[in-house]
Amino acid sequence: MSAEERRESVIRAATSEFARGGYHGTSTEAIARRVGVSQPYLFRLFPGKKAIFLAASERCMADFVRMFEEAAEGLEGEEAVMAMGNAYAQVIVEQPERLMMQMQTYLAVAAAEADGDREFGEAVRAGWMRLWDTVHVPLGADVDETTTFMAYGMLINCLVAMGFAPEHRVWQGIYPAARALGRLEK
């Protein structure tokens, strides 16, 4: 396996590990073990744990950007909203670790900035802004529509992460296809 292929393996393994344990609760040893490499080799590919986390975070956001672009291609307005929303719901159902990695990323920013590390947050915010801009254009570059779409997405993220059943009253204001997300296996 080439160094680039091994690097990709590390990013995939790190995504799974960080999604479950967060930045502070995940050891580089666990990531190395999942990939099947030694920690020293891991650090030849990435300079440290922060770099591994940022690579996993950036991949997570890039994958969501690509997913939204593909879903909204040639669409606008309500059609784009539904296509992007359905694509997001499908990813969350099929690959729940991507949702959890996204959520862990936001938590890691708060923790890093509390420790005085603004660079970490700036990198994550740049990825999130790419996500915002990707959604913004198919929604007619309407700030209110984009805000509403992103707000619903974050609400769905929180409800799924907390394990609210789809029958729970908190899902009532969300479109029916999204309610099914409450059925995700933990």
Side-chain angles (χ1 to χ4, degrees), residues 47-83:
K49 182 177 175 179
K50 178 180 168 182
I52 298 169
F53 187 87
L54 283 173
S57 172
E58 288 168 3
R59 173 62 53 79
C60 180
M61 290 299 172
D63 287 348
F64 282 123
V65 163
R66 186 172 39 263
M67 176 211 58
F68 283 139
E69 286 173 340
E70 290 171 3
E73 189 173 350
L75 303 175
E76 56 186 45
E78 191 62 30
E79 287 181 326
V81 167
M82 293 307 293

Side-chain angles (χ1 to χ4, degrees), residues 43-129:
F43 292 125
R44 275 189 244 142
L45 298 171
F46 294 91
K49 182 177 175 179
K50 178 180 168 182
I52 298 169
F53 187 87
L54 283 173
S57 172
E58 288 168 3
R59 173 62 53 79
C60 180
M61 290 299 172
D63 287 348
F64 282 123
V65 163
R66 186 172 39 263
M67 176 211 58
F68 283 139
E69 286 173 340
E70 290 171 3
E73 189 173 350
L75 303 175
E76 56 186 45
E78 191 62 30
E79 287 181 326
V81 167
M82 293 307 293
M84 290 186 295
N86 289 335
Y88 188 69
Q90 182 178 351
V91 166
I92 290 173
V93 168
E94 293 174 0
Q95 300 170 11
E97 72 278 358
R98 289 178 61 192
L99 165 64
M100 298 312 293
M101 180 64 202
Q102 184 185 157
M103 299 295 279
Q104 293 289 359
T105 297
Y106 305 147
L107 292 171
V109 168
E113 291 193 348
D115 288 341
D117 183 353
R118 295 261 321 142
E119 178 185 330
F120 189 89
E122 301 223 357
V124 171
R125 282 188 289 275
W128 199 87
M129 286 309 303

